[in-house]
């Protein structure tokens, strides 16, 4: 078997188109959406990623404000910026970009992002709301996986789905979204025992561990669908996922590529979330 590659590019373009249309309508009513990205690092690949968000936002008709505090920013300075942006009516969406300076507590800061502006689902309140089925922004990466499954007509209701990784930004919220869609979800992590014990029975495997080559063909049953969230930079500078693509493609029926899979959809969803946030905020202003 040689797995079909599930490219995220067409879906990402469709989502960007929706964001562009929504941004245009809002701009016509005098409320052009604005996304603020708070950065406190000089890490080159992070700054490259932030610039790519800025470019994509501009192309979608969304204003993007980069608030760069530098790599020595204190937790107090970051907290003040997040509180100010949360209170500023002209800002609709806020992203706190990691990594943060050493000693700065991400957990303490993400709780300061107003939930209605939390377009990357970082505030624990957003995760809590997702857990009880209340409206909230899911982290864009988690939603990207679900959107890809929908786009390629991969059913999950009543099927066995294994999520490898239990972080608050990917594994946990994704598991909640899949549960909401009636999947039988198993979450694996570094202490859940041999992967194949779980993945061999899976119809769908989502791997989000940050370990290049962690998932191989021998972990899978023939025909499984694999979504690869991992992004790992190898010493030669190339970007690879968590799946060992060569062996997985021999066994799986479909696999998302890295790059060009989940990641491309994620950025598009950040824009769509910003437009959705702006629409909600402008509607609540009108209704008073
Ligand atoms: P993270 O916070 O480091 O969490 C990694 C998770 O994987 C943890 O739950 C960990 O288990 C588990 N894990 C690690 N090694 C494992 C192993 N050998 N077997 C089973 N589970 C293992 O990472 P993250 O923030 O969730 O990100 C995961 C990956 O997704 C990274 O490569 C990241 O770069 C990528 N990512 C991609 C996007 C995108 O848009 N494409 C967005 C966000 C993240 P424990 O909890 O037991 O430690």
């Amino acid at each position: 078997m040689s797995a079909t590659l599930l490219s995220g590019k067409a879906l990402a373009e469709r989502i960007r188109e929706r964001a562009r249309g929504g941004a245009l309508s809002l701009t016509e009513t005098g409320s052009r959406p604005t996304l603020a990205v708070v950065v406190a690092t000089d890490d080159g690949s992070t700054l490259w990623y932030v610039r790519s968000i800025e470019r994509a936002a501009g192309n979608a008709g969304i204003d993007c404000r980069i608030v760069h505090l530098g790599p020595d920013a204190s937790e107090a300075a970051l907290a003040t910026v997040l509180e100010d942006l949360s209170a500023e009516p002209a800002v609709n969406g806020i992203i706190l970009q990691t990594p943060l300076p050493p000693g700065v507590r991400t957990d303490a800061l993400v709780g300061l992002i107003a939930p209605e502006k939390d377009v990357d689902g970082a505030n624990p309140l957003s995760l809590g709301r997702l857990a009880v089925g209340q409206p909230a922004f899911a982290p864009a990466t988690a939603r990207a996986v679900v959107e890809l499954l929908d786009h390629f007509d991969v059913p999950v209701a009543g099927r066995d789905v294994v999520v490898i990784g239990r972080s608050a930004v990917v594994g946990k919220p994704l598991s909640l979204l899949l549960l909401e869609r009636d999947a039988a979800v198993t979450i694996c992590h570094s202490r859940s025992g041999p992967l194949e014990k779980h993945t061999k029975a899976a119809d769908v495997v989502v791997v989000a561990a940050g370990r290049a080559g962690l998932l191989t063909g021998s972990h899978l049953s023939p025909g499984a669908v694999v979504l690869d969230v991992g992004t790992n930079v190898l010493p030669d500078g190339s970007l690879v996922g968590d799946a060992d693509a060569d062996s997985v493609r021999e066994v799986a029926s479909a696999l998302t590529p890295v790059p060009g899979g989940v990641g491309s959809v994620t950025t598009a969803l950040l824009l769509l979330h910003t437009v959705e946030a702006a629409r909600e905020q402008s509607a609540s202003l009108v209704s008073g």
Side-chain angles (χ1 to χ4, degrees):
M1 184 178 292
S2 184
T4 306
L5 274 189
L6 306 178
S7 166
K9 288 188 178 156
L11 173 61
E13 182 48 35
R14 190 188 292 180
I15 294 169
R16 279 193 295 269
E17 204 47 60
R18 275 175 64 195
R20 205 174 293 135
L24 186 62
S25 304
L26 283 159
T27 302
E28 281 167 0
T29 63
S31 315
R32 185 176 164 98
T34 297
L35 171 67
V37 185
V38 179
V39 191
T41 179
D42 274 347
D43 172 60
S45 62
T46 306
L47 295 180
W48 181 89
Y49 175 64
V50 168
R51 276 194 296 273
S52 76
I53 295 179
E54 186 179 28
R55 221 173 17 250
N59 290 337
I62 296 169
D63 281 338
C64 186
R65 197 189 297 177
I66 310 292
V67 184
H68 198 336
L69 279 77
D72 300 323
S74 67
E75 188 173 310
L78 281 154
T80 302
V81 165
L82 291 171
E83 283 168 339
D84 289 351
L85 291 169
S86 288
E88 188 180 332
V91 173
N92 308 112
I94 302 170
I95 298 171
L96 176 61
Q97 185 60 50
T98 55
L100 293 171
V104 169
R105 296 168 304 157
T106 311
D107 293 1
L109 291 174
V110 288
L112 301 174
I113 300 174
E116 67 276 15
K117 301 185 180 184
D118 185 24
V119 290
D120 203 14
N123 187 327
L125 272 178
S126 300
L127 188 59
R129 286 182 180 179
L130 280 185
V132 293
Q134 289 178 6
F137 288 112
T141 305
R143 184 173 169 193
V145 170
V146 174
E147 295 283 342
L148 276 161
L149 290 167
D150 282 351
H151 179 73
F152 288 107
D153 292 324
V154 179
V156 293
R159 300 181 89 208
D160 290 312
V161 180
V162 168
V163 176
I164 303 172
R166 59 174 165 179
S167 73
V169 288
V170 189
K172 279 183 188 145
L174 172 60
S175 302
L176 293 170
L177 294 178
L178 292 165
L179 206 53
E180 195 66 26
R181 284 162 180 253
D182 299 324
V185 184
T186 301
I187 307 173
C188 293
H189 45 80
S190 64
R191 291 165 172 252
S192 54
L195 275 183
E196 59 273 18
K197 186 171 135 203
H198 307 283
T199 51
K200 276 280 186 192
D203 301 297
V204 176
V205 177
V206 186
V207 60
R211 302 278 183 277
L214 175 67
L215 184 77
T216 66
S218 65
H219 291 119
L220 303 169
S221 280
V225 174
V226 176
L227 287 98
D228 192 350
V229 178
T231 53
N232 308 287
V233 181
L234 297 183
D236 68 2
S238 58
L239 184 71
V240 297
D242 287 352
D244 171 45
D246 288 344
S247 66
V248 165
R249 284 185 76 170
E250 288 304 308
V251 184
S253 61
L255 165 71
T256 57
V258 178
V262 176
S264 49
V265 179
T266 299
T267 313
L269 281 170
L270 285 174
L271 305 180
L272 186 63
H273 283 181
T274 302
V275 170
E276 289 170 351
R279 198 179 287 135
E280 281 290 314
Q281 288 156 35
S282 119
S284 64
L285 270 182
V286 171
S287 65

